[in-house]
Amino acid sequence: MAKDINKNKIDYLLRLLGKSHLMEEDFEDFHQIYYTILRTMTRKAPIQMDVYESETTRAQQKVEEAIRSIYLDVEIDLMTVTTTNCGGSKASTDVIFPPLDVAKHENYCRMCLSSPLPGAFIGLDGNQCWMMYWLSNGHGMLKGVEGLPADISEGISAKISLFVIDEGRNGISSGPFQKGHVASVYAAVLALIAIGDFKTLTNARKGLYDFFYKMKQKDGSFSMTVNGESDARSTYCVVVLSYLLNILDDKLVDHKTLQWLDLCQTYEGGFGGVPNTEAHGGYTYCALAAYYVLLGKEGSTPKEFLTSLRAHIDVDKLLSWLVHRQHLLEGSFDGRTNKLVDACYSFWVGACFAMLEATLEITTLFNRESLKLYMIHCAQGIEMGGFRDKPGKQADFYHTNYSLCGVSVLEHYFTLERNGSWANSFTTEIVDDTNVNTNPVNPIFGLPILQVSACVKYFSANV
Amino acid sequence: MSFALDKDFEDVEPVDYTQWEGQPCSIMYSEEYVSTMGILMRLMAGEEYSERALWLTEQGIGLLASHYSIWLYRYDILRSMYSEDEKRLEEELDWLEEIALANQKNYQIWNYRQLIIGLFKQYNYQREFPILAAMLDSDLKNHHVWTYRKWFVEQFDLFDNEREVQFIQQLIETDVRNNSAWSHLFYLMFEKGDSHVKNQIEYVKEKIALSPQNVSAWNYLIGIYDKFKLDITELKDFCLLYVDPEVTSSMAVELLAQIYTSSKETEKAISLYNELGDTYDPIRKNYWDYKISLIKA
């Protein structure tokens, strides 16, 4: 097995050095830290997993085997570099945390936007606006990359304009002749903000208010469409969209919406899609982000804001649930208790951390280095660029966007400095300025901070 | 009733899918897709509620089951033509079950199923058990199916339904780490009051014994204590079973640290949080340090 071969290689290298494992003096401080992290992750679990076996444990073991083998390879490379190039320097850092292949990801996003998609993509025919958001935003998250070529961004604007139904009064559809749908509106609006087209939105914003109002349910939640489902996701979409378009008022979203969201927090601490369902990373993100928008004017310091948040939800239980999403060996997050890791939760769960770190005024509440290892070595598409759920899967648009947003979360520390509303008040500091690949993301929206503030500025001036 | 695409829709001008070519993310549709959807989208735009339209929605769903517009259109057709015909609605549910089994990840189906069941004057809920069992048999943690199941329990007031409770407990017997099943059980047991508290605490403690590192079971236990505002210090001896002499559960250490925090034994709590960070649960070290900082503050 690959694992055994790796282990043999490591043992061999160590024997050459006459050591059972590398010692601190073999590294400069910086490298030592990461070597220790890697070893902690890949070595025997600190508590022996109990002997209980089931479908859950078998699926988990399979993923662990694949990922352990990847990390052992990294360890071998690291040791080879360290032992042959005494003094470490830049080389050994690059083994563990090579910069993302930004050029490849840029190419992936641009090519997928500009070339016709093969027939296999018919499955995404009802997600046309989503594809454009995922790719244009993924592109925009990459640091130091020029904006999309004009023909592509103009193409996105033109295509979305065709999907706007009755000037927004019946929403925006997500494919030719389809019905208006809140999630499609969300994807369309975010795609336009990602490319900086506020003009197309101006024409639809009044109509969209009417569309959202029609989706309002008695319990305070919002449905996706007439006769569609209503859950934390559809509710989040309406809340953030009405904020971004500056059409949020008490008639559209009132205290009942907050009360309904409160009911979605489960006994585990995370949020379910509707009250009394299983806590889930995606819905937890939606609910938490919605609070940041809806409690936007509460208090003038993070502490005061936190007090308002605590009036609605159990923040301590939420945080406890969130930290338990991170897996020791994989370094990455799962979306529910006893499920497998998936790169997309680097954003859904990671963004919750960004929000809470800023609010609790704590630098870091999760393990950024371990997550980074996963994103670089396990999630990054090797040949064509893009990102994937986990090893063994193909890169796709969805995972590419949310992975890049997730990488942005782990490459930055987040703080809140009240400037208007809380949702638009995030400031960031780079974690490691020798290795930064993304622009700072606004955790509430999954858009670059700069794009969000440009949008807010535009719609506060042009209403 | 069956129709032919090339004969029975001659009066319909198909939507022109070629107009989308060359735009960002344009899909190279297959001929079959374009010819079916072209007509279907035209009928939908014209709100035609007819047998042939109903037939065509079935073809469309066969090509792309995640096409939400088709489901909504099909519901409008069915409601307008058959809302009083429960025999036809039953057939619809039969058909829907086949589609569901063939499209495990699809969620439109479950919203649609709720809408159809909503058309019945009186619905025999027993018919839901086999399809839900079959769905969970192929994916024990299918989120859409579990969400539907929660709706089902609420809709038909099945909190004390023996069949429902037994089924869920059987799933937990099969896989004690199935968190979806635990979440559903929590709803069944505690939505209507505290009568199950005592027996469920015993039940979940037995399950923790089977797999001491199982977070699902610990969360269920702590969830009961939180919901009913019970005193967690009662759980001290239980935690110690998994901490002393050997640590077999980091969850037990964590709960014990919480217990010591609430009983103001701060030195003990801090030392446990340190052990979690240094030894038993190093990935969460930043969080354990944060917990220590809260105690010291």
mmCIF file with all atom_site columns, all heavy atoms in Angstrom, chain B residues 237-251:
data_model
loop_
_atom_site.group_PDB
_atom_site.id
_atom_site.type_symbol
_atom_site.label_atom_id
_atom_site.label_alt_id
_atom_site.label_comp_id
_atom_site.label_asym_id
_atom_site.label_entity_id
_atom_site.label_seq_id
_atom_site.pdbx_PDB_ins_code
_atom_site.Cartn_x
_atom_site.Cartn_y
_atom_site.Cartn_z
_atom_site.occupancy
_atom_site.B_iso_or_equiv
_atom_site.pdbx_formal_charge
_atom_site.auth_seq_id
_atom_site.auth_comp_id
_atom_site.auth_asym_id
_atom_site.auth_atom_id
_atom_site.pdbx_PDB_model_num
ATOM 1   N N   . ASP B 1 237 ? -19.651 11.692 37.413 1.00 0.00 ? 237 ASP B N   1
ATOM 2   C CA  . ASP B 1 237 ? -19.213 10.295 37.543 1.00 0.00 ? 237 ASP B CA  1
ATOM 3   C C   . ASP B 1 237 ? -19.259 9.578  36.202 1.00 0.00 ? 237 ASP B C   1
ATOM 4   O O   . ASP B 1 237 ? -18.402 8.741  35.896 1.00 0.00 ? 237 ASP B O   1
ATOM 5   C CB  . ASP B 1 237 ? -20.081 9.552  38.561 1.00 0.00 ? 237 ASP B CB  1
ATOM 6   C CG  . ASP B 1 237 ? -19.789 10.036 39.975 1.00 0.00 ? 237 ASP B CG  1
ATOM 7   O OD1 . ASP B 1 237 ? -18.727 10.679 40.162 1.00 0.00 ? 237 ASP B OD1 1
ATOM 8   O OD2 . ASP B 1 237 ? -20.623 9.783  40.872 1.00 0.00 ? 237 ASP B OD2 1
ATOM 9   N N   . PHE B 1 238 ? -20.271 9.903  35.420 1.00 0.00 ? 238 PHE B N   1
ATOM 10  C CA  . PHE B 1 238 ? -20.373 9.273  34.099 1.00 0.00 ? 238 PHE B CA  1
ATOM 11  C C   . PHE B 1 238 ? -19.167 9.642  33.241 1.00 0.00 ? 238 PHE B C   1
ATOM 12  O O   . PHE B 1 238 ? -18.565 8.785  32.586 1.00 0.00 ? 238 PHE B O   1
ATOM 13  C CB  . PHE B 1 238 ? -21.683 9.699  33.421 1.00 0.00 ? 238 PHE B CB  1
ATOM 14  C CG  . PHE B 1 238 ? -21.842 9.103  32.058 1.00 0.00 ? 238 PHE B CG  1
ATOM 15  C CD1 . PHE B 1 238 ? -22.131 7.753  31.893 1.00 0.00 ? 238 PHE B CD1 1
ATOM 16  C CD2 . PHE B 1 238 ? -21.688 9.890  30.917 1.00 0.00 ? 238 PHE B CD2 1
ATOM 17  C CE1 . PHE B 1 238 ? -22.260 7.197  30.626 1.00 0.00 ? 238 PHE B CE1 1
ATOM 18  C CE2 . PHE B 1 238 ? -21.818 9.340  29.650 1.00 0.00 ? 238 PHE B CE2 1
ATOM 19  C CZ  . PHE B 1 238 ? -22.108 7.994  29.506 1.00 0.00 ? 238 PHE B CZ  1
ATOM 20  N N   . CYS B 1 239 ? -18.785 10.912 33.249 1.00 0.00 ? 239 CYS B N   1
ATOM 21  C CA  . CYS B 1 239 ? -17.609 11.343 32.474 1.00 0.00 ? 239 CYS B CA  1
ATOM 22  C C   . CYS B 1 239 ? -16.346 10.622 32.951 1.00 0.00 ? 239 CYS B C   1
ATOM 23  O O   . CYS B 1 239 ? -15.514 10.205 32.135 1.00 0.00 ? 239 CYS B O   1
ATOM 24  C CB  . CYS B 1 239 ? -17.389 12.845 32.621 1.00 0.00 ? 239 CYS B CB  1
ATOM 25  S SG  . CYS B 1 239 ? -18.627 13.819 31.781 1.00 0.00 ? 239 CYS B SG  1
ATOM 26  N N   . LEU B 1 240 ? -16.232 10.500 34.267 1.00 0.00 ? 240 LEU B N   1
ATOM 27  C CA  . LEU B 1 240 ? -15.008 9.895  34.819 1.00 0.00 ? 240 LEU B CA  1
ATOM 28  C C   . LEU B 1 240 ? -14.797 8.465  34.330 1.00 0.00 ? 240 LEU B C   1
ATOM 29  O O   . LEU B 1 240 ? -13.669 7.994  34.227 1.00 0.00 ? 240 LEU B O   1
ATOM 30  C CB  . LEU B 1 240 ? -15.036 9.952  36.345 1.00 0.00 ? 240 LEU B CB  1
ATOM 31  C CG  . LEU B 1 240 ? -14.757 11.353 36.918 1.00 0.00 ? 240 LEU B CG  1
ATOM 32  C CD1 . LEU B 1 240 ? -15.068 11.408 38.410 1.00 0.00 ? 240 LEU B CD1 1
ATOM 33  C CD2 . LEU B 1 240 ? -13.305 11.774 36.655 1.00 0.00 ? 240 LEU B CD2 1
ATOM 34  N N   . LEU B 1 241 ? -15.895 7.781  33.973 1.00 0.00 ? 241 LEU B N   1
ATOM 35  C CA  . LEU B 1 241 ? -15.763 6.426  33.419 1.00 0.00 ? 241 LEU B CA  1
ATOM 36  C C   . LEU B 1 241 ? -14.873 6.420  32.179 1.00 0.00 ? 241 LEU B C   1
ATOM 37  O O   . LEU B 1 241 ? -14.237 5.423  31.865 1.00 0.00 ? 241 LEU B O   1
ATOM 38  C CB  . LEU B 1 241 ? -17.141 5.878  33.004 1.00 0.00 ? 241 LEU B CB  1
ATOM 39  C CG  . LEU B 1 241 ? -18.176 5.606  34.085 1.00 0.00 ? 241 LEU B CG  1
ATOM 40  C CD1 . LEU B 1 241 ? -19.505 5.198  33.443 1.00 0.00 ? 241 LEU B CD1 1
ATOM 41  C CD2 . LEU B 1 241 ? -17.675 4.493  35.007 1.00 0.00 ? 241 LEU B CD2 1
ATOM 42  N N   . TYR B 1 242 ? -14.858 7.556  31.468 1.00 0.00 ? 242 TYR B N   1
ATOM 43  C CA  . TYR B 1 242 ? -14.114 7.628  30.205 1.00 0.00 ? 242 TYR B CA  1
ATOM 44  C C   . TYR B 1 242 ? -12.846 8.481  30.318 1.00 0.00 ? 242 TYR B C   1
ATOM 45  O O   . TYR B 1 242 ? -12.231 8.823  29.320 1.00 0.00 ? 242 TYR B O   1
ATOM 46  C CB  . TYR B 1 242 ? -15.034 8.165  29.094 1.00 0.00 ? 242 TYR B CB  1
ATOM 47  C CG  . TYR B 1 242 ? -16.252 7.293  28.922 1.00 0.00 ? 242 TYR B CG  1
ATOM 48  C CD1 . TYR B 1 242 ? -17.465 7.629  29.514 1.00 0.00 ? 242 TYR B CD1 1
ATOM 49  C CD2 . TYR B 1 242 ? -16.158 6.086  28.225 1.00 0.00 ? 242 TYR B CD2 1
ATOM 50  C CE1 . TYR B 1 242 ? -18.568 6.802  29.392 1.00 0.00 ? 242 TYR B CE1 1
ATOM 51  C CE2 . TYR B 1 242 ? -17.257 5.252  28.107 1.00 0.00 ? 242 TYR B CE2 1
ATOM 52  C CZ  . TYR B 1 242 ? -18.459 5.606  28.698 1.00 0.00 ? 242 TYR B CZ  1
ATOM 53  O OH  . TYR B 1 242 ? -19.539 4.778  28.580 1.00 0.00 ? 242 TYR B OH  1
ATOM 54  N N   . VAL B 1 243 ? -12.516 8.846  31.553 1.00 0.00 ? 243 VAL B N   1
ATOM 55  C CA  . VAL B 1 243 ? -11.357 9.714  31.751 1.00 0.00 ? 243 VAL B CA  1
ATOM 56  C C   . VAL B 1 243 ? -10.330 9.055  32.680 1.00 0.00 ? 243 VAL B C   1
ATOM 57  O O   . VAL B 1 243 ? -9.128  9.215  32.511 1.00 0.00 ? 243 VAL B O   1
ATOM 58  C CB  . VAL B 1 243 ? -11.805 11.081 32.342 1.00 0.00 ? 243 VAL B CB  1
ATOM 59  C CG1 . VAL B 1 243 ? -10.610 11.940 32.693 1.00 0.00 ? 243 VAL B CG1 1
ATOM 60  C CG2 . VAL B 1 243 ? -12.709 11.804 31.344 1.00 0.00 ? 243 VAL B CG2 1
ATOM 61  N N   . ASP B 1 244 ? -10.836 8.294  33.610 1.00 0.00 ? 244 ASP B N   1
ATOM 62  C CA  . ASP B 1 244 ? -9.987  7.733  34.648 1.00 0.00 ? 244 ASP B CA  1
ATOM 63  C C   . ASP B 1 244 ? -10.158 6.215  34.695 1.00 0.00 ? 244 ASP B C   1
ATOM 64  O O   . ASP B 1 244 ? -11.300 5.744  34.745 1.00 0.00 ? 244 ASP B O   1
ATOM 65  C CB  . ASP B 1 244 ? -10.407 8.377  35.993 1.00 0.00 ? 244 ASP B CB  1
ATOM 66  C CG  . ASP B 1 244 ? -9.405  8.079  37.096 1.00 0.00 ? 244 ASP B CG  1
ATOM 67  O OD1 . ASP B 1 244 ? -8.241  7.849  36.747 1.00 0.00 ? 244 ASP B OD1 1
ATOM 68  O OD2 . ASP B 1 244 ? -9.812  8.078  38.257 1.00 0.00 ? 244 ASP B OD2 1
ATOM 69  N N   . PRO B 1 245 ? -9.121  5.394  34.681 1.00 0.00 ? 245 PRO B N   1
ATOM 70  C CA  . PRO B 1 245 ? -7.708  5.769  34.699 1.00 0.00 ? 245 PRO B CA  1
ATOM 71  C C   . PRO B 1 245 ? -7.168  6.153  33.324 1.00 0.00 ? 245 PRO B C   1
ATOM 72  O O   . PRO B 1 245 ? -6.120  6.795  33.239 1.00 0.00 ? 245 PRO B O   1
ATOM 73  C CB  . PRO B 1 245 ? -7.027  4.479  35.161 1.00 0.00 ? 245 PRO B CB  1
ATOM 74  C CG  . PRO B 1 245 ? -7.908  3.376  34.675 1.00 0.00 ? 245 PRO B CG  1
ATOM 75  C CD  . PRO B 1 245 ? -9.310  3.919  34.697 1.00 0.00 ? 245 PRO B CD  1
ATOM 76  N N   . GLU B 1 246 ? -7.895  5.769  32.254 1.00 0.00 ? 246 GLU B N   1
ATOM 77  C CA  . GLU B 1 246 ? -7.354  6.068  30.932 1.00 0.00 ? 246 GLU B CA  1
ATOM 78  C C   . GLU B 1 246 ? -8.371  6.907  30.165 1.00 0.00 ? 246 GLU B C   1
ATOM 79  O O   . GLU B 1 246 ? -9.578  6.662  30.263 1.00 0.00 ? 246 GLU B O   1
ATOM 80  C CB  . GLU B 1 246 ? -7.133  4.749  30.174 1.00 0.00 ? 246 GLU B CB  1
ATOM 81  C CG  . GLU B 1 246 ? -6.392  4.901  28.880 1.00 0.00 ? 246 GLU B CG  1
ATOM 82  C CD  . GLU B 1 246 ? -6.643  3.727  27.932 1.00 0.00 ? 246 GLU B CD  1
ATOM 83  O OE1 . GLU B 1 246 ? -7.325  2.768  28.322 1.00 0.00 ? 246 GLU B OE1 1
ATOM 84  O OE2 . GLU B 1 246 ? -6.170  3.801  26.790 1.00 0.00 ? 246 GLU B OE2 1
ATOM 85  N N   . VAL B 1 247 ? -7.894  7.895  29.427 1.00 0.00 ? 247 VAL B N   1
ATOM 86  C CA  . VAL B 1 247 ? -8.826  8.702  28.642 1.00 0.00 ? 247 VAL B CA  1
ATOM 87  C C   . VAL B 1 247 ? -9.226  7.942  27.384 1.00 0.00 ? 247 VAL B C   1
ATOM 88  O O   . VAL B 1 247 ? -8.395  7.624  26.543 1.00 0.00 ? 247 VAL B O   1
ATOM 89  C CB  . VAL B 1 247 ? -8.200  10.065 28.275 1.00 0.00 ? 247 VAL B CB  1
ATOM 90  C CG1 . VAL B 1 247 ? -9.104  10.813 27.302 1.00 0.00 ? 247 VAL B CG1 1
ATOM 91  C CG2 . VAL B 1 247 ? -7.979  10.905 29.521 1.00 0.00 ? 247 VAL B CG2 1
ATOM 92  N N   . THR B 1 248 ? -10.517 7.628  27.299 1.00 0.00 ? 248 THR B N   1
ATOM 93  C CA  . THR B 1 248 ? -11.007 6.937  26.104 1.00 0.00 ? 248 THR B CA  1
ATOM 94  C C   . THR B 1 248 ? -11.975 7.805  25.320 1.00 0.00 ? 248 THR B C   1
ATOM 95  O O   . THR B 1 248 ? -12.501 7.387  24.302 1.00 0.00 ? 248 THR B O   1
ATOM 96  C CB  . THR B 1 248 ? -11.718 5.619  26.482 1.00 0.00 ? 248 THR B CB  1
ATOM 97  O OG1 . THR B 1 248 ? -12.720 5.923  27.470 1.00 0.00 ? 248 THR B OG1 1
ATOM 98  C CG2 . THR B 1 248 ? -10.739 4.600  27.022 1.00 0.00 ? 248 THR B CG2 1
ATOM 99  N N   . SER B 1 249 ? -12.218 9.008  25.820 1.00 0.00 ? 249 SER B N   1
ATOM 100 C CA  . SER B 1 249 ? -13.130 9.902  25.102 1.00 0.00 ? 249 SER B CA  1
ATOM 101 C C   . SER B 1 249 ? -12.754 11.357 25.364 1.00 0.00 ? 249 SER B C   1
ATOM 102 O O   . SER B 1 249 ? -12.809 11.828 26.498 1.00 0.00 ? 249 SER B O   1
ATOM 103 C CB  . SER B 1 249 ? -14.572 9.657  25.551 1.00 0.00 ? 249 SER B CB  1
ATOM 104 O OG  . SER B 1 249 ? -15.402 10.698 25.078 1.00 0.00 ? 249 SER B OG  1
ATOM 105 N N   . SER B 1 250 ? -12.389 12.070 24.296 1.00 0.00 ? 250 SER B N   1
ATOM 106 C CA  . SER B 1 250 ? -12.085 13.490 24.477 1.00 0.00 ? 250 SER B CA  1
ATOM 107 C C   . SER B 1 250 ? -13.358 14.256 24.802 1.00 0.00 ? 250 SER B C   1
ATOM 108 O O   . SER B 1 250 ? -13.319 15.297 25.452 1.00 0.00 ? 250 SER B O   1
ATOM 109 C CB  . SER B 1 250 ? -11.421 14.064 23.219 1.00 0.00 ? 250 SER B CB  1
ATOM 110 O OG  . SER B 1 250 ? -12.267 13.919 22.108 1.00 0.00 ? 250 SER B OG  1
ATOM 111 N N   . MET B 1 251 ? -14.499 13.737 24.361 1.00 0.00 ? 251 MET B N   1
ATOM 112 C CA  . MET B 1 251 ? -15.774 14.386 24.676 1.00 0.00 ? 251 MET B CA  1
ATOM 113 C C   . MET B 1 251 ? -16.041 14.359 26.177 1.00 0.00 ? 251 MET B C   1
ATOM 114 O O   . MET B 1 251 ? -16.598 15.304 26.736 1.00 0.00 ? 251 MET B O   1
ATOM 115 C CB  . MET B 1 251 ? -16.929 13.698 23.942 1.00 0.00 ? 251 MET B CB  1
ATOM 116 C CG  . MET B 1 251 ? -16.867 13.749 22.430 1.00 0.00 ? 251 MET B CG  1
ATOM 117 S SD  . MET B 1 251 ? -16.823 15.441 21.790 1.00 0.00 ? 251 MET B SD  1
ATOM 118 C CE  . MET B 1 251 ? -18.440 16.034 22.278 1.00 0.00 ? 251 MET B CE  1
#
